[in-house]
Amino acid sequence: MSFSILGTGRAVPEYVVSNDKLSTMVETNDEWIRTRTGIHNRRIITTETMTDLCVTAANQALDDAGITAKDLDLIICATMKGMYITPSEACVIQKEIGATCPAFDLNAACSGFIYSLDVADGFFARGKIKHALVIAFDNLSNMTDWTDRSTCVLFGDGGGAVVLGEGDGLKSIHLTANGNTDVLYAPRGELTSPFDTHKGEKPVLHMVGQEVYKFAVTNMVRGIRKVVKAAGLEQKEITHMIPHQANIRIIDAAAAKLDIPRENYVVNVGEYGNTSAGSIPIALDEMNKQGKLKKGDYIAMCAFGAGLTTGSCVIQWDK
Ligand code: ACO
């Protein structure tokens, strides 16, 4: 037994930061950002907290699924950094929504949502759970060097959630990681031990953009080919393709090598930028709430991020 998606939710901060606003902070301009990335705006946390937004997304997903927090048997929060080092963000969310089940965080950077689905699948397969909540949220604006124009224009805050129940919606899933600390990383920050001889570094994201770009295109193509085949499908049978929303050029380059019709790609990077683990569930919830998902549709998803990690899957919508 695996899972089906019973409900979805999302939450993004109110405050919109435009490319023009960024051009008052670093040496950049709207034209450069739009043409190199497809990003126009991003949402940035000001007065909300990450937990407020995670709880909003979680409660929406519970409502959409028609269950309550008390019905949950598992909570996974896909994030690189919660509100606390400990407890986990999943436990903080659990407290706010009033659930009583096991809860933990999972860090696979931008691939965290797909990694969490695979972990949840294991709990369903072992017959341990009937309902799981997966929330995916990264507060990238607090991991960004706002003086570095090559990264600060790319990111935004936001995330989404899904409630999973027993079912046969998951058709195939594939994860990878290749142990790379050079092209995309954020140091853990200040060290508190008077005995430690190492120096803490500012916990902001560093990226070798072109290396990540090549990795992303190659592995999106590889991952999607693999999971579509494993699901017993042809690429043209994929009704909705939801790629990680990092850069429109990455999506275009991968789409050119795949056989999924271009109009089936879901793209919202223009409005949110790269929200890391949150990007796929935000797009999924938008599709759901706009009534664009029909029972029987095949949804392919593919994410890539620090690690370097990737996660790809095919899910049949059976709501
Ligand atoms: N505004 C204006 N100029 C800029 C900016 C900016 N915001 N940023 C960089 N430049 C300049 C550079 O300094 C460089 O100038 P130079 O030629 O004088 O040296 C020039 O623009 C070209 O820079 P490149 O890095 O070669 O630009 P590129 O076309 O590769 O685009 C980008 C950069 C958008 C980052 C691209 O490499 C990319 O999308 N990479 C993938 C990023 C990604 O997907 N990350 C996902 C993971 S993130 C995560 O996991 C949290």
Side-chain angles (χ1 to χ4, degrees):
M1 177 63 73
S2 185
F3 66 75
S4 292
I5 296 177
L6 304 184
T8 67
R10 71 177 188 276
V12 295
E14 286 290 321
Y15 187 59
V16 179
V17 175
S18 67
N19 293 344
D20 286 339
K21 168 73 184 167
L22 286 179
S23 67
T24 67
M25 298 167 63
V26 288
E27 201 180 326
T28 189
N29 57 72
D30 178 57
E31 203 258 334
W32 192 97
I33 302 171
R34 277 178 194 255
T35 53
R36 299 286 178 127
T37 71
I39 300 168
H40 312 165
N41 293 309
R42 67 286 292 144
R43 302 297 187 98
I44 300 293
I45 283 181
T46 52
T47 55
E48 312 91 340
T49 67
M50 170 175 172
T51 301
D52 295 337
L53 296 166
C54 288
V55 167
T56 300
N59 281 330
Q60 282 180 15
L62 287 166
D63 284 349
D64 191 34
I67 67 164
T68 71
K70 295 276 182 261
D71 300 317
L72 291 172
D73 306 307
L74 178 70
I75 301 174
I76 305 175
C77 182
T79 190
M80 290 186 273
K81 200 174 176 190
M83 297 282 290
Y84 300 87
I85 293 174
T86 193
S88 68
E89 186 64 20
C91 288
V92 180
I93 297 163
Q94 177 191 42
K95 174 184 168 204
E96 296 299 321
I97 64 176
T100 54
C101 56
F104 61 90
D105 287 358
L106 184 155
N107 179 353
C110 302
S111 311
F113 178 65
I114 310 286
Y115 263 69
S116 299
L117 294 182
D118 203 13
V119 172
D121 178 45
F123 279 80
F124 282 104
R126 287 182 290 129
K128 300 267 286 187
I129 61 171
K130 294 208 177 311
H131 294 111
L133 171 67
V134 173
I135 308 121
F137 198 108
D138 278 308
N139 178 197
L140 287 185
S141 66
N142 271 314
M143 296 175 59
T144 295
D145 177 351
W146 288 95
T147 64
D148 174 11
R149 69 176 181 173
S150 68
T151 54
C152 76
V153 302
L154 303 174
F155 304 127
D157 295 324
V162 291
V163 168
L164 310 175
E166 287 177 304
D168 294 318
L170 180 67
K171 298 300 175 196
S172 60
I173 191 159
H174 180 66
L175 310 180
T176 70
N178 73 355
N180 183 317
T181 52
D182 299 325
V183 302
L184 186 53
Y185 67 95
R188 74 173 153 152
E190 194 189 338
L191 304 177
T192 60
S193 167
F195 303 102
D196 195 326
T197 56
H198 301 92
K199 255 197 176 158
E201 284 177 71
K202 215 171 158 193
V204 292
L205 279 162
H206 299 262
M207 184 174 69
V208 183
Q210 289 183 1
E211 290 301 316
V212 179
Y213 185 99
K214 281 185 262 172
F215 172 83
V217 175
T218 307
N219 286 283
M220 195 190 305
V221 172
R222 206 175 274 166
I224 288 296
R225 281 184 183 147
K226 193 173 181 85
V227 290
V228 172
K229 192 169 175 207
L233 298 169
E234 300 285 334
Q235 289 182 31
K236 57 180 182 304
E237 293 177 88
I238 296 299
T239 339
H240 310 284
M241 164 68 193
I242 310 184
H244 172 44
Q245 308 286 314
N247 183 327
I248 191 65
R249 288 193 300 142
I250 292 174
I251 297 172
D252 285 340
K257 295 182 185 194
L258 291 166
D259 295 325
I260 300 172
R262 189 62 180 87
E263 61 275 17
N264 295 4
Y265 281 71
V266 181
V267 177
N268 65 12
V269 66
E271 280 313 304
Y272 301 119
N274 178 352
T275 55
S276 187
S279 88
I280 289 177
I282 291 174
L284 180 71
D285 183 61
E286 285 187 334
M287 297 289 289
N288 182 22
K289 300 291 163 60
Q290 290 165 7
K292 291 183 177 164
L293 302 178
K294 309 229 162 17
K295 197 174 166 75
D297 282 359
Y298 288 111
I299 305 168
M301 307 178 189
C302 182
F304 49 84
L308 293 167
T309 55
T310 74
S312 311
C313 67
V314 174
I315 291 178
Q316 189 166 33
W317 190 251
D318 54 10
K319 215 170 125 53

